[in-house]
Amino acid sequence: MKYIKIKILEIISKVIMENVPFFILLGTLSFFNTEDFVLTYGSLLKNILIPLILSYSAGNFIEKRLGGIAGVIVVGGILNLYQFKSFLMPILVGILVGEVVKYSKKILDKYKYPGYEMLINNILIVVLGTILIKLFYYIYPLYDFIYKIIVENINGFAINIKFYPLYSFIIEPAKVFFLNNLINHGVLSVIGLQELSEKGKSIFFLMETNPGPGLGILTAYLYMNKKNKIKKKNIISNIFIQFIGGIHEVYFPYVLKNLKLIIPLIISGSVGVYIFDKLNLGLLGVASPGSIIMILLLAPIYDKFGIFLGILTSFFISFIIGSIILKMSNKEEKNITKINIPEEVKNKKNIKIVVVCDAGMGSSTMGATLLDRKIKKEKLEEKISVENRSVDDDLNEFDIIVIHEKLVKRIEERSKNKYIVILNDFMDGKVYEELLKNIKNKIDLNENNKEIVNKNITRKIIEKENLAIGLKKATKKEALEDIGKHLYELGYVEKNYINGILNREEISSTYLANGVAVPHGTKEYNKYIKNNGVVIHQYPYGIDYGDGKTVYILIGLAIKGETHIEILEKLSKIIENEDEIENLSITNKEKDFYKILSILED
């Protein structure tokens, strides 16, 4: 099932990230809870609208549109009798309903009749929705019964624990699995209100709402991504939402990506609670949302400094340990192949390097262009030459072969005497820098009779009909098919070229950098190219491109012969500019594309 293959945590993470504005709205309303309208709207949002929205997003993730609609039908039916205790439940219901719709639709598709698809799908949604509502009517009372038993036992157990830092071992892991409302309002607030009547304040109001641990994790991510402007901007936004707005849900997806980060959350949370306990600190009421502003407003005047100290200490501990974990994880994920060029290659007067991809057009040209610029920057252009080729070409003339890890097996037998550099991203500049560093001081200065290819582009590359912006969210396959169809409709290719684009993606990803991918056909599909052409599709909401990559701009290529070199060299310069790509990812103005990409028409 899809949620097992992709990991259910990833689905939950994406659903929450897509709907962060609703959590922000909920938190904002909590600040102004004195007016009848705000109270009524806040209750409507929390108890009905958000569960329906989450179920739609989760169902839509499994089965586009139909799964989302079915999720809303079923969750709406459940809400008719019951109220969800946690936002996690409507997400899980949406996932389950989406799976049922998906597999039911697969069965019906075998017997579909042309012209009746829409009617059959609509009837299917109604029938399945009705059946599942009835099923959940029987299941949900059992869940409610078990939930009450668990909460009552947790309450009793919690009251008897006197060493309060131990709570963090339950609270922090439970929070990242979106059980924060259950923990805070179902357990801690109940105990806190009881203690409030006895002592006038309670430490239990601080245990879950402490924003320090989550702020530390977000800041650690910010530190690790300080050179990536797009990620940096998103993380800074989430820091304000979490710390000032009190919406802790925004950092949960970051932890779900790397569950080792639960460790700094537990340690920092425990230290924070220890400080609160030893200094006899507490709040005068439930801090909802868990914002630094709300916490300090509810803190007794003599407790404010101590509470701030506890939060600050939690932050620093979470940040330091989180940064160490992320740095270690980053090294594991992005381990650069150790490069040790043989002496006989280093001592050559002219070292010939080839960057190899499947078709020898898209990814390899981008990689070769990036490497060539680094060669020129180091003033080694007279000593080292670089080209790009297809994996099926004769590579015997080259001294060093740079190739994607998924293609290595296809050249191993033919290139036993060649030095091979393996990478997993053609736009990973660190690999090229390491390669040049390894050979820089070992080569002779000699004239390099590098042949310069005469490049001519005979038609405009960016025209109005070649551009599609503001496209709705789609799956990777749908987006690739659409860009292939666009090339076909404009007369650049024959229809079979679309299969070449899909086949190319199965061999290795055409993702390059900064949210840009360059899909193109494999070499054997070049025969279906009628005219050289480029089309650009913009997806402002992003496409899940696999391996944790999100693509906002697809640049579809149908180019054969030598003309592809100049086009891709120019494209690579644009893709490397993060500011320009960020603008292209979100703009709704065609003129922005023409202005920035006019370089392709020069």
Side-chain angles (χ1 to χ4, degrees):
M1 298 177 85
K2 187 171 183 177
Y3 64 87
I4 293 176
K5 291 178 182 176
I6 298 180
K7 298 178 184 178
I8 194 168
L9 296 181
E10 184 181 338
I11 300 176
I12 295 171
S13 171
K14 288 184 178 181
V15 169
I16 292 294
M17 288 297 281
E18 284 181 354
N19 295 288
V20 163
F22 296 104
F23 292 105
I24 297 173
L25 177 59
L26 185 61
T28 303
L29 290 172
S30 299
F31 278 111
F32 309 98
N33 58 1
T34 54
E35 298 179 15
D36 290 340
F37 169 75
V38 172
L39 282 169
T40 304
Y41 184 47
S43 177
L44 174 68
L45 190 68
K46 180 180 177 182
N47 298 325
I48 298 175
L49 294 182
I50 290 182
L52 290 173
I53 291 163
L54 294 178
S55 64
Y56 179 84
S57 296
N60 188 61
F61 187 88
I62 303 298
E63 176 60 38
K64 196 166 181 64
R65 196 181 72 83
L66 296 178
I69 293 171
V72 170
I73 291 172
V74 174
V75 167
I78 295 172
L79 289 173
N80 187 46
L81 291 180
Y82 305 103
Q83 186 175 313
F84 290 112
K85 303 294 192 301
S86 164
F87 287 139
L88 182 63
M89 279 305 296
I91 297 176
L92 296 177
V93 171
I95 291 171
L96 179 60
V97 172
E99 287 289 346
V100 172
V101 172
K102 175 181 148 185
Y103 284 98
S104 301
K105 193 168 175 293
K106 270 188 179 179
I107 295 170
L108 285 178
D109 282 347
K110 295 178 182 178
Y111 310 99
K112 66 182 179 182
Y113 296 94
Y116 293 92
E117 291 92 347
M118 186 177 292
L119 177 63
I120 292 171
N121 287 339
N122 289 338
I123 293 173
L124 172 67
I125 297 303
V126 173
V127 171
L128 287 179
T130 304
I131 294 171
L132 290 171
I133 288 172
K134 282 289 184 183
L135 179 64
F136 278 109
Y137 275 180
Y138 292 107
I139 294 175
Y140 205 82
L142 177 62
Y143 160 78
D144 202 41
F145 176 71
I146 295 172
Y147 170 84
K148 286 178 180 177
I149 292 176
I150 292 172
V151 169
E152 287 173 3
N153 278 279
I154 290 175
N155 281 343
F157 176 71
I159 291 171
N160 293 322
I161 293 179
K162 298 303 179 185
F163 188 64
Y164 293 140
L166 288 176
Y167 282 88
S168 295
F169 286 83
I170 299 173
I171 293 170
E172 299 303 337
K175 280 180 71 174
V176 298
F177 289 99
F178 302 99
L179 297 174
N180 50 317
N181 288 322
L182 166 62
I183 292 291
N184 191 27
H185 300 295
V187 180
L188 299 176
S189 294
V190 175
I191 303 170
L193 289 170
Q194 181 179 330
E195 190 176 59
L196 187 66
S197 60
E198 299 170 0
K199 299 181 180 180
K201 64 181 180 181
S202 177
I203 189 176
F204 288 96
F205 295 141
L206 281 167
M207 290 181 177
E208 187 274 338
T209 55
N210 180 0
L215 177 65
I217 296 299
L218 288 172
T219 309
Y221 265 102
L222 178 64
Y223 175 73
M224 295 302 296
N225 291 278
K226 56 188 175 184
K227 293 183 180 179
N228 188 319
K229 292 186 179 181
I230 296 175
K231 287 185 179 180
K232 184 179 175 182
K233 186 177 179 181
N234 290 335
I235 296 169
I236 291 174
S237 173
N238 285 329
I239 285 175
F240 277 95
I241 292 168
Q242 189 263 349
F243 192 62
I244 306 298
I247 311 302
H248 292 212
E249 281 88 351
V250 296
Y251 80 80
F252 300 168
Y254 292 91
V255 181
L256 292 175
K257 291 177 185 176
N258 187 345
L259 289 177
K260 293 178 184 177
L261 293 173
I262 289 177
I263 296 171
L265 287 176
I266 292 173
I267 295 173
S268 61
S270 299
V271 173
V273 173
Y274 181 80
I275 293 172
F276 299 148
D277 182 30
K278 289 303 175 184
L279 297 181
N280 192 28
L281 306 173
L283 296 183
L284 302 173
V286 181
S288 181
S291 152
I292 185 65
I293 297 173
M294 183 63 76
I295 289 172
L296 292 178
L297 283 173
L298 290 171
I301 189 166
Y302 296 110
D303 287 4
K304 291 184 189 294
F305 177 76
I307 289 173
F308 185 76
L309 176 65
I311 292 171
L312 192 63
T313 305
S314 296
F315 158 70
F316 276 116
I317 292 173
S318 179
F319 169 68
I320 292 168
I321 301 175
S323 297
I324 293 170
I325 290 174
L326 287 175
K327 193 170 184 179
M328 291 171 63
S329 301
N330 195 43
K331 284 181 179 178
E332 290 171 8
E333 292 171 7
K334 296 186 176 180
N335 185 29
I336 298 175
T337 304
K338 188 175 180 180
I339 297 174
N340 188 17
I341 309 295
E343 290 298 319
E344 60 268 24
V345 174
K346 293 180 183 179
N347 292 327
K348 278 197 167 188
K349 294 180 180 180
N350 178 22
I351 297 175
K352 300 183 74 174
I353 302 174
V354 62
V355 183
V356 177
C357 71
D358 181 71
M361 294 196 312
S363 305
S364 62
T365 302
M366 293 290 192
T369 301
L370 178 58
L371 177 56
D372 188 52
R373 284 210 300 276
K374 291 185 179 297
I375 289 171
K376 290 174 181 175
K377 184 179 179 182
E378 296 291 335
K379 298 181 180 179
L380 297 171
E381 61 266 32
E382 295 184 352
K383 313 166 191 179
I384 305 172
S385 62
V386 59
E387 298 180 33
N388 62 287
R389 290 283 188 274
S390 164
V391 69
D392 297 318
D393 289 343
D394 184 358
L395 305 175
N396 287 324
E397 64 179 292
F398 299 99
D399 304 300
I400 299 172
I401 299 172
V402 180
I403 190 168
H404 195 279
E405 59 187 358
K406 292 184 179 179
L407 298 173
V408 174
K409 290 183 180 179
R410 291 173 61 179
I411 66 162
E412 280 180 338
E413 290 301 317
R414 296 185 289 116
S415 308
K416 284 185 176 179
N417 298 323
K418 303 296 178 183
Y419 186 77
I420 299 175
V421 177
I422 301 170
L423 44 65
N424 55 25
D425 183 350
F426 282 103
M427 296 299 282
D428 187 353
K430 291 182 180 178
V431 174
Y432 303 127
E433 288 166 9
E434 182 70 17
L435 173 61
L436 295 181
K437 180 181 176 183
N438 197 270
I439 62 177
K440 184 177 178 181
N441 299 321
K442 294 287 184 177
I443 56 179
D444 276 331
L445 294 174
N446 263 335
E447 287 295 322
N448 176 16
N449 299 319
K450 186 179 178 183
E451 184 179 337
I452 300 173
V453 180
N454 184 29
K455 316 171 193 80
N456 292 301
I457 300 175
T458 57
R459 63 166 285 155
K460 285 188 176 181
I461 298 304
I462 302 299
E463 299 181 29
K464 188 173 183 179
E465 61 268 26
N466 295 54
L467 183 64
I469 64 175
L471 298 175
K472 294 181 180 178
K473 198 160 188 177
T475 64
K476 179 180 178 181
K477 185 179 179 183
E478 289 169 343
L480 292 172
E481 288 176 343
D482 287 345
I483 208 156
K485 288 175 184 175
H486 198 171
L487 286 166
Y488 167 68
E489 290 166 359
L490 292 175
Y492 291 119
V493 299
E494 295 178 24
K495 204 166 188 178
N496 281 341
Y497 189 75
I498 299 172
N499 294 327
I501 291 176
L502 297 174
N503 290 345
R504 171 65 181 81
E505 210 63 44
E506 289 177 4
I507 295 169
S508 64
S509 175
T510 55
Y511 179 87
L512 291 176
N514 297 327
V516 179
V518 185
H520 53 277
T522 51
K523 187 176 181 181
E524 58 266 31
Y525 283 85
N526 282 358
K527 60 186 177 182
Y528 298 114
I529 299 175
K530 295 159 68 176
N531 295 293
N532 291 334
V534 178
V535 297
I536 298 175
H537 287 189
Q538 180 218 50
Y539 290 86
Y541 298 102
I543 300 167
D544 181 0
Y545 220 66
D547 298 327
K549 306 286 177 62
T550 301
V551 168
Y552 299 94
I553 299 173
L554 283 178
I555 303 175
L557 304 178
I559 306 169
K560 59 182 178 179
E562 299 296 336
T563 55
H564 72 278
I565 298 173
E566 182 175 353
I567 296 170
L568 291 171
E569 284 179 347
K570 290 179 177 180
L571 281 175
S572 65
K573 291 177 183 177
I574 298 169
I575 291 169
E576 268 200 320
N577 190 318
E578 291 184 13
D579 292 333
E580 290 184 350
I581 289 300
E582 182 178 359
N583 178 51
L584 288 178
S585 299
I586 60 175
T587 184
N588 59 2
K589 299 176 181 178
E590 290 184 353
K591 65 179 183 180
D592 289 344
F593 275 89
Y594 297 137
K595 178 182 177 182
I596 295 173
L597 299 178
S598 60
I599 185 174
L600 296 176
E601 297 176 350
D602 293 340

